[in-house]
């Protein structure tokens, strides 16, 4: 049931790159936040820009996860261009419009041709044609248009239902900006940018009535903590361009302040956690569980190895792994008895209600939502002490256990220790874990978001005056 909104007035948009199959924490978190906003009276429009998105596959993925609640809708830019006109530059001889040759690669969706792609001899993409269901050309993305600088220019051209060119943009960021301008329509809007790829564009997107916030998912540091990741360097050098930059933990925000200075726009809002009214913390539980994408950064192999070490003294110990990814085949091939792989399961979180412990072995985190969800279900986390999240959530030996990052033997020892505790001690720890998770209750988090959005809107109003002064000065200089 949708309540009256406690969020500040304005339309709510979320900008991210795409919704991949078997998506992980970033997408899950932004969709859950969007659901929370919608339930509190502020519908959310989630926008994606992945030019390889398959609408049917994305719809199937969100459906099987029941990820889009009432008041949350999802739109991809390229699919939107199939059905809508967008104002851009007039199409002239230099627009780069040309049909693809017959040798182009073709991609199908449900038996319908959706893209034609041309690559050069080195395999570099030079042109992508986006086609409507009836085969007409909706847009062509040319990446090799000649330019006097001798560096090829990227030009996107949209076409009408008859296939004739309508408008063009010099670069994809021009197209993104025109699309957002059309959707926000000059109304007061909040744009929450979750993807670091889209944040590079959004740092330069300024409009009088659009408040732009960057939500940071993942650690901004290299694995050894010595420097900012190269993938985040561009955005972190321009943090002041946003009206707010939101982190999931106070420790990460503090580390960023030490690097970039005391910017008042840095904010902290944790991910929300749904907590059942009644959580069974008294019934004895068995076994360990992992909920993670099976990819190198998650190091699920460490969990498998730790369980096999612990089984030498605790032969009955089992591990259930929920998740899929490129590392699955290798992990299954080397896992012994007592380790079960379930693949992706939309109901995987239900396993937290019956498992004794959760193992988290990632190289880095931004919040460790799965740790919070485990604690909310009375499942005790055993986590590598990586930035950021585990240390902020886990009180060692009281609501779970922290072990040195990468230390498989210490992970195994923690597993053995958890299995050796008497039921009363475990029940007490489970109660503590549930109580700690209540600080992340949805009602608490949505109030934090309301305050963060209001402060960002106030900061945006102050900055508008600065933009106007600069624009007046630029005009005077040009006229003079």
């Amino acid at each position: 049931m949708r309540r009256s909104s406690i969020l500040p007035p304005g339309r709510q948009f979320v900008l991210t790159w795409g919704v991949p199959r078997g998506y992980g924490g970033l997408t899950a978190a932004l969709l859950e936040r969007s659901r929370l906003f919608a339930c509190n009276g502020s519908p959310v429009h989630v926008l994606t820009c992945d030019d390889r998105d398959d609408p049917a596959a994305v719809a199937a993925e969100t459906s099987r996860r029941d990820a889009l609640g009432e008041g949350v809708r999802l739109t991809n830019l390229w699919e939107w261009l199939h059905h809508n006109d967008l104002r851009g530059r007039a199409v002239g001889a230099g627009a780069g419009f040309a049909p693809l040759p017959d040798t182009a690669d073709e991609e199908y969706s449900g038996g319908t041709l959706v893209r034609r792609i041309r690559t050069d001899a080195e395999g570099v993409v030079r042109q992508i044609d986006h086609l409507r269901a009836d085969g007409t050309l909706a847009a062509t993305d040319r990446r090799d248009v000649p330019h006097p600088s001798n560096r090829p220019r990227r030009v996107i051209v949209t076409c009408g239902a008859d296939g004739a060119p309508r408008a063009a943009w010099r670069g994809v960021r021009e197209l993104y900006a025109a699309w957002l301008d059309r959707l926000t329509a000059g109304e007061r809007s909040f744009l929450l940018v979750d993807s670091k790829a889209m944040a590079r564009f959004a740092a330069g997107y300024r409009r009088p009535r659009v408040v732009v916030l960057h939500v940071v998912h993942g650690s901004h540091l290299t694995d050894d903590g010595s420097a900012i990741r190269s993938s985040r360097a561009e955005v972190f050098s321009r943090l002041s361009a946003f009206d707010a930059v939101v982190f999931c933990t106070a420790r990460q925000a503090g580390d960023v302040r030490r690097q970039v200075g005391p910017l008042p726009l840095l904010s902290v809002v944790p991910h929300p956690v749904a907590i059942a009214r009644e959580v069974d913390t008294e019934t004895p539980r068995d076994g360990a569980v992992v909920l993670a994408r099976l990819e190198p950064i998650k190091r699920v192999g460490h969990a498998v190895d730790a369980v096999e070490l612990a089984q030498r003294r605790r032969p009955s110990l089992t591990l259930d792994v929920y998740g899929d990814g490129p590392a699955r085949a290798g992990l299954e091939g080397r896992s012994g008895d007592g380790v079960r792989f379930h693949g992706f399961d939309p109901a995987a979180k239900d396993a937290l209600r019956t498992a004794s412990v959760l193992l988290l072995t990632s190289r880095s985190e931004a919040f460790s939502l799965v740790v919070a969800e485990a604690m909310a279900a009375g499942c005790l986390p055993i986590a590598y002490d990586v930035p950021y999240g585990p240390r902020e959530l886990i009180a060692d030996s009281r609501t779970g256990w922290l072990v040195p990052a990468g230390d498989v033997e210490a992970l195994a020892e923690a597993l053995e220790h958890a299995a050796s505790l008497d039921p009363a001690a475990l029940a007490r720890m489970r109660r503590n874990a549930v109580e700690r998770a209540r600080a992340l209750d949805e009602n608490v988090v949505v109030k934090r978001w309301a305050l963060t959005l209001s402060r960002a809107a106030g900061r945006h109003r102050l900055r508008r005056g600065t933009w106007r002064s600069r624009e007046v000065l630029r005009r005077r200089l040009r006229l003079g």
Side-chain angles (χ1 to χ4, degrees), residues 8 20 24 33 63 96 101 159 172 174 185 271 287 322 327 337 348 380 403 448:
R33 184 191 67 225
S63 176
C159 304
V172 72
E174 271 194 9
H271 293 314
Y322 292 87
D337 294 339
L380 298 174
V403 299
R448 293 277 292 272

Side-chain angles (χ1 to χ4, degrees), residues 172-190:
V172 72
R173 292 189 181 184
E174 271 194 9
L175 176 62
Y176 295 158
W179 189 43
L180 287 175
D181 289 347
R182 170 73 176 275
L183 295 179
T184 56
E187 298 180 29
R188 183 183 184 184
S189 303
F190 292 90

Side-chain angles (χ1 to χ4, degrees), residues 130-263:
H130 297 265
L131 299 120
R132 300 182 180 89
D134 62 3
T136 58
L137 185 62
T140 183
D141 182 358
R142 287 290 304 270
R143 305 181 184 194
D144 58 355
V145 177
H147 188 261
S149 67
N150 294 322
R151 295 180 61 185
R153 171 182 284 171
R154 185 175 182 182
V155 174
I156 299 95
V157 180
T158 55
C159 304
D162 58 357
R166 292 283 184 85
W169 293 266
R170 294 175 183 170
V172 72
R173 292 189 181 184
E174 271 194 9
L175 176 62
Y176 295 158
W179 189 43
L180 287 175
D181 289 347
R182 170 73 176 275
L183 295 179
T184 56
E187 298 180 29
R188 183 183 184 184
S189 303
F190 292 90
L191 180 67
L192 277 67
V193 186
D194 289 81
S195 160
K196 57 188 175 185
M198 297 312 302
R200 289 194 286 270
F201 151 75
Y205 181 74
R206 294 186 178 93
R207 298 296 185 269
R209 295 182 61 77
V210 181
V211 182
V212 183
L213 301 88
H214 177 30
V215 184
V216 178
H217 297 259
S219 172
H220 65 289
L221 297 174
T222 53
D223 288 344
D224 62 5
S226 63
I228 294 177
R229 293 179 187 272
S230 59
S231 62
R232 295 192 181 273
E234 179 184 345
V235 170
F236 270 64
S237 69
R238 304 175 64 195
L239 290 184
S240 59
F242 298 97
D243 297 305
V245 180
V246 184
F247 299 93
C248 301
T249 67
R251 184 157 66 114
Q252 186 173 17
D255 284 352
V256 172
R257 285 192 183 96
R258 281 188 285 274
Q259 291 171 324
V260 303
L263 295 176

Side-chain angles (χ1 to χ4, degrees), residues 88-113:
R89 300 172 186 269
V91 180
F97 176 79
L100 277 169
D102 293 337
T103 56
D105 296 328
E106 298 181 342
E107 294 187 9
Y108 290 83
S109 173
T112 302
L113 179 62

Side-chain angles (χ1 to χ4, degrees), residues 294 324-334:
L294 304 186
D324 213 338
R328 180 175 177 180
L331 289 169
E332 285 188 295
R334 70 182 181 85

